[in-house]
Amino acid sequence: MGGGPLGAIIGRHPAEATGGGSGADGQETRGRGIIRHNRKCRDLVFLAFFIAFWIAMIVNSSFGFNQGNPLRLTYGLDYKGNVCGDKHANPNLRELEIRYWLNPNQVYESGLKGSQFKLVDARSICLMECPIPSEDGLNWVCDYPEGDIRISVDDWIDRDYDYYEFLTPDMRNSSLQLQGPCYPVIFPSVNVYWSCQFIARASNASMRHWQQMGGVSINENILIDKTIHRSINSQSSVLKRYVSDIGKAWPVLIVCGGIVPLFLSLIWLLLIRHFVSGMTWITVILFNVLIISVTFLYYAKAGWIGHDVVSVVIGESDPYFSFSGREINHLRAIAVLMTIVMIISILSSIAIIRRILMATSVLKVAAKVISEVQALIVFPVFPFTILAIFYMFWISAAMHLFSSGQITKNDCNANCCSFDLKSNQVSCDDCCGYSIHFTPHVAAAILFHLFGCFWATQFVIAFSATVIAGSVASYYWARGEISQDVPFLPVFASMRRLMRYNLGSVALGSLIVSIVESIRFILESLRRRLKHANIVPVSRIEKIASFSSNCFLGCINWTLRSVNRSGYIMIAINGKGFCKASSIATGLIMNNIMRIGKVNVIGDIILFLGRLCVSLFCALFAFLMLDTYKYKSAHNRISSPLFPVLVCWGLGYIVATLFFAVVEMSIDTIILSFCQDADENHGSAQYAPPLLIETLDSQGEMQRLTQGS
């Protein structure tokens, strides 16, 4: 080992191998300048493009903040175009959050096949709770009080929305024609995702009283139930609820998507530093335990085991009636997928048992680097903070963009009439309801916002990886003794070099990965849409072709990520532009592919399992938090734990990637620096860490590595 405290990592002084003299002086000069030589600003065009893109992101988000209203994602619209629960509406609907359709005949008509009348045009108002029929009489739900009905909204609520006794004879006659302003409560209803779902079982007592009063015939067909059910469970409604769930579960996202993975990743790094021999086994075992636990939680929420199935009903409901929704079907699909992943994971873990010892040897190299460059352990907190701030801004802007469509009056051409309290007469000219219409530029703004998330995330990850690579490379080229050439704080020195010369290169590398990710996302979305429309061919050959194309894009994405990672290392070492650095790194890898692959691949697998452990624990903890009373009742009730759990899983994986990059980039940087060292010194690596040489088995194999054999 070397004489100084860094000797175990960076090898002996090259002069010991060369015997000194001018040759050694030449090597010393070459080694001293390897990190700093020929530095100048690179890829400035892409840095300017990245800055312009961020300006566009701010403008795009400001449009969402100005035009959007996240309440639209959860609550429906009344017949006036107001969002239920909106305190700025007229009247004030702050506590009136549940949409209720007043006229059951309109609901029935909208469900008829070929009918031009749609449910969105049926007269609906906002209530505090779904009304129920009377057991010995007839209950009424009346329109918002205005005009000659001189009671306040609060009094109207206290009276259970019933002011029938104050109606004039003309108003009462109009109400018996189901034209308002008061409507009979004939069918029981329950709160399903903040809309009153009718149960097509009319109350005998209420129907008898209605008929005795001379009311018009009311249809009792099951179509009344199915029409509202289809509307509540439409794809757009489900997507809106999923996005709304993210907003309601923001404390879960902060805890399980930020704080928990932060501490778990730090603990994992500390254990790698002090307990590297056992961490590979712990990681593999813990991964399998967590994936089994998460799978069984999905089974429970899907209703396949236990009695904790996700309910679509908000509040109490009749136990003799069951309601289902797309959310439960989605949970069951994820449960099946997790079962497949669980089986593959267990079998894969068994297959790599013999390789775990090799992974331990590779991780020891990184552990030694971390013990010497201790700032590497806490450095990922900096990019973590940047990403945390960005995601809070991005999620808020995304919710506003998703709800930024225009509320416009429908053109329904329907023949229906209702009593207008302001004009005090029945009007047949203002029957159509309101809908939220998304213009093409809103869809483009959402896609742009999604791409911005891809690029910003990849940029921060690339920035972090390059800084880590620069820090490790500085120590590799330090010759085993603390010298003036090694900065006192190598992490900050590496960051300074990157920010001064190569931010454009990082922007270019992250842009390439983001474009590929976006293409995969768009193609997958199109495939799902075509499949839903039954346009996708179902022949076996075409299914194989579709699967092969997905695998091909996945391989391209994995290859690009690997090339980019190596390119970032070479950027940190020699300061070249992204394309040149990637070319150099690719050449070094191809010349040493057999040996590097054997040493590095198994280590990458263990690190990948470690990241999955962190993210799966985040998902498990998110499940437990969402299973509390807070998220099962009242305003914070979520429609399904699916989206919040998946987002926590994704955020946990990204945070783990930032921290695990310390180990991953340490290994890759040491190996690529070794190859660069051999190239700089005519096939003889002068700075090779003894621990790396030991991992490569013997001096003979090291020679074959340097010669590309």
Side-chain angles (χ1 to χ4, degrees):
M1 298 296 176
L6 301 177
I9 284 293
I10 55 180
R12 294 181 179 275
H13 196 288
E16 295 176 334
T18 59
S22 59
D25 293 339
Q27 287 180 343
E28 183 177 352
T29 302
R30 192 163 55 246
R32 182 165 44 238
I34 195 69
I35 298 296
R36 300 177 180 175
H37 81 288
N38 198 27
R39 293 270 176 175
K40 63 179 181 180
C41 295
R42 307 283 185 176
D43 300 316
L44 291 177
V45 173
F46 292 97
L47 177 60
F49 181 64
F50 183 72
I51 295 173
F53 178 85
W54 260 101
I55 295 175
M57 274 283 289
I58 295 173
V59 173
N60 186 62
S61 300
S62 65
F63 164 78
F65 285 121
N66 289 330
Q67 301 295 326
N69 181 3
L71 287 177
R72 300 175 186 172
L73 301 173
T74 302
Y75 308 113
L77 303 178
D78 66 6
Y79 74 92
K80 292 185 175 183
N82 298 318
V83 180
C84 292
D86 187 0
K87 63 181 180 181
H88 301 295
N90 184 22
N92 186 344
L93 303 177
R94 181 174 183 177
E95 297 181 349
L96 306 174
E97 299 171 334
I98 304 174
R99 176 175 52 179
Y100 176 74
W101 284 274
L102 294 167
N103 191 335
N105 279 358
Q106 287 185 343
V107 175
Y108 171 79
E109 182 183 353
S110 67
L112 292 174
K113 194 171 184 179
S115 174
Q116 294 184 351
F117 189 80
K118 305 301 180 184
L119 185 62
V120 292
D121 298 315
R123 199 169 187 86
S124 62
I125 61 174
C126 303
L127 307 177
M128 289 184 67
E129 57 186 14
C130 294
I132 57 176
S134 172
E135 296 181 356
D136 55 0
L138 181 62
N139 290 339
W140 298 85
V141 172
C142 301
D143 200 350
Y144 302 128
E146 55 186 351
D148 291 341
I149 306 299
R150 304 186 183 280
I151 63 173
S152 66
V153 173
D154 290 336
D155 290 338
W156 172 66
I157 295 174
D158 292 338
R159 297 177 60 88
D160 290 331
Y161 326 107
D162 182 2
Y163 50 75
Y164 183 81
E165 62 182 281
F166 301 138
L167 298 185
T168 64
D170 289 339
M171 291 180 182
R172 294 192 178 191
N173 182 60
S174 172
S175 297
L176 293 175
Q177 301 299 316
L178 286 180
Q179 294 178 346
C182 292
Y183 298 81
V185 181
I186 302 296
F187 298 97
S189 59
V190 293
N191 181 358
V192 176
Y193 297 134
W194 309 103
S195 292
C196 290
Q197 167 76 63
F198 285 163
I199 301 175
R201 186 194 62 180
S203 167
N204 293 329
S206 297
M207 182 65 79
R208 185 171 58 252
H209 278 79
W210 171 255
Q211 293 172 347
Q212 291 174 354
M213 295 176 68
V216 298
S217 176
I218 293 179
N219 294 289
E220 301 182 53
N221 195 287
I222 190 66
L223 198 59
I224 293 176
D225 184 318
K226 291 182 177 180
T227 301
I228 297 178
H229 181 78
R230 282 197 301 266
S231 173
I232 293 174
N233 287 282
S234 66
Q235 287 187 347
S236 60
S237 297
V238 173
L239 179 60
K240 288 178 182 178
R241 288 198 292 270
Y242 279 159
V243 176
S244 177
D245 289 343
I246 300 300
K248 293 178 181 179
W250 65 265
V252 178
L253 300 187
I254 292 176
V255 174
C256 301
I259 298 175
V260 170
L262 170 65
F263 281 100
L264 289 178
S265 299
L266 283 172
I267 291 172
W268 197 90
L269 283 180
L270 290 174
L271 289 175
I272 276 288
R273 177 185 173 188
H274 298 289
F275 191 52
V276 64
S277 299
M279 279 305 297
T280 49
W281 296 99
I282 292 175
T283 300
V284 173
I285 295 172
L286 186 60
F287 166 71
N288 287 283
V289 171
L290 287 171
I291 200 168
I292 292 172
S293 301
V294 173
T295 301
F296 276 96
L297 277 175
Y298 272 113
Y299 270 78
K301 293 301 178 181
W304 285 343
I305 59 174
H307 304 283
D308 197 26
V309 60
V310 171
S311 173
V312 301
V313 178
I314 300 175
E316 298 181 355
S317 63
D318 192 332
Y320 294 100
F321 291 89
S322 61
F323 303 89
S324 61
R326 287 179 180 267
E327 286 84 354
I328 294 178
N329 295 332
H330 293 166
L331 284 170
R332 290 173 177 172
I334 294 295
V336 172
L337 178 62
M338 288 297 296
T339 302
I340 298 173
V341 174
M342 178 184 67
I343 295 173
I344 295 175
S345 300
I346 294 174
L347 295 177
S348 300
S349 300
I350 296 173
I352 66 170
I353 287 178
R354 293 185 178 181
R355 298 283 184 175
I356 289 180
L357 292 177
M358 181 180 291
T360 302
S361 300
V362 175
L363 292 176
K364 283 181 179 179
V365 177
K368 195 63 177 178
V369 174
I370 295 173
S371 66
E372 296 290 348
V373 193
Q374 298 183 13
L376 287 175
I377 296 179
V378 297
F379 164 72
V381 174
F382 173 69
F384 165 82
T385 304
I386 295 176
L387 272 185
I389 296 173
F390 167 74
Y391 283 141
M392 287 189 287
F393 162 78
W394 188 89
I395 291 175
S396 178
M399 294 186 62
H400 283 82
L401 282 171
F402 267 91
S403 60
S404 60
Q406 295 181 346
I407 298 179
T408 57
K409 194 171 185 62
N410 300 325
D411 184 13
C412 61
N413 296 321
N415 182 20
C416 58
C417 303
S418 60
F419 198 94
D420 185 2
L421 287 172
K422 288 185 177 180
S423 61
N424 203 27
Q425 62 181 2
V426 175
S427 172
C428 299
D429 300 328
D430 193 24
C431 178
C432 300
Y434 287 81
S435 298
I436 302 175
H437 293 278
F438 292 93
T439 57
H441 75 273
V442 173
I446 293 174
L447 290 176
F448 183 82
H449 197 64
L450 289 172
F451 179 78
C453 181
F454 282 136
W455 195 3
T457 301
Q458 292 300 324
F459 179 85
V460 174
I461 291 175
F463 177 91
S464 177
T466 308
V467 171
I468 294 170
S471 305
V472 176
S474 295
Y475 275 93
Y476 180 93
W477 299 98
R479 293 195 181 93
E481 300 289 345
I482 298 179
S483 66
Q484 295 179 353
D485 297 325
V486 181
F488 178 73
L489 294 175
V491 172
F492 293 101
S494 178
M495 187 188 305
R496 181 183 61 83
R497 289 195 301 269
L498 174 61
M499 296 182 68
R500 182 175 178 181
Y501 298 111
N502 290 107
L503 275 181
S505 302
V506 172
L508 173 57
S510 57
L511 174 62
I512 294 174
V513 174
S514 301
I515 291 175
V516 174
E517 288 277 8
S518 300
I519 292 174
R520 290 183 65 194
F521 176 81
I522 293 173
L523 291 178
E524 181 64 18
S525 300
L526 289 175
R527 187 187 68 82
R528 291 182 179 276
R529 285 181 175 272
L530 293 174
K531 183 178 180 180
H532 180 74
N534 294 323
I535 298 177
V536 173
V538 294
S539 68
R540 181 174 298 180
I541 295 177
E542 287 164 333
K543 284 184 177 180
I544 293 175
S546 176
F547 178 77
S548 300
S549 63
N550 288 334
C551 291
F552 179 71
L553 284 174
C555 291
I556 290 178
N557 183 50
W558 181 84
T559 303
L560 281 175
R561 287 178 180 272
S562 300
V563 171
N564 279 13
R565 191 172 65 188
S566 302
Y568 298 145
I569 294 173
M570 297 313 297
I571 288 172
I573 292 176
N574 56 33
K576 300 293 185 182
F578 175 78
C579 295
K580 181 65 175 177
S582 298
S583 175
I584 295 173
T586 303
L588 291 172
I589 292 173
M590 294 306 297
N591 290 336
N592 305 281
I593 185 65
M594 296 301 294
R595 198 69 180 112
I596 289 179
K598 181 180 178 182
V599 171
N600 209 21
V601 170
I602 190 65
D604 286 345
I605 292 175
I606 296 299
L607 292 173
F608 175 67
L609 293 180
R611 290 193 292 267
L612 287 180
C613 281
V614 172
S615 58
L616 285 171
F617 190 88
C618 294
L620 181 64
F621 202 70
F623 259 125
L624 298 178
M625 287 190 67
L626 293 171
D627 205 33
T628 57
Y629 177 79
K630 177 180 180 180
Y631 298 104
K632 288 186 174 182
S633 62
H635 305 284
N636 288 322
R637 188 186 189 281
I638 61 172
S639 64
S640 169
L642 179 61
F643 251 45
V645 168
L646 289 179
V647 171
C648 288
W649 178 89
L651 292 176
Y653 188 86
I654 292 172
V655 173
T657 298
L658 291 175
F659 284 85
F660 282 47
V662 173
V663 178
E664 192 172 29
M665 295 303 293
S666 295
I667 296 172
D668 292 348
T669 303
I670 288 291
I671 292 177
L672 271 182
S673 295
F674 175 85
C675 297
Q676 177 76 2
D677 183 12
D679 184 68
E680 290 282 332
N681 293 283
H682 309 290
S684 177
Q686 300 294 322
Y687 303 84
L691 193 56
L692 177 61
I693 298 173
E694 181 182 343
T695 303
L696 294 175
D697 296 331
S698 67
Q699 183 68 23
E701 289 191 7
M702 184 191 70
Q703 288 294 331
R704 287 195 293 274
L705 172 61
T706 59
Q707 294 170 5
S709 57

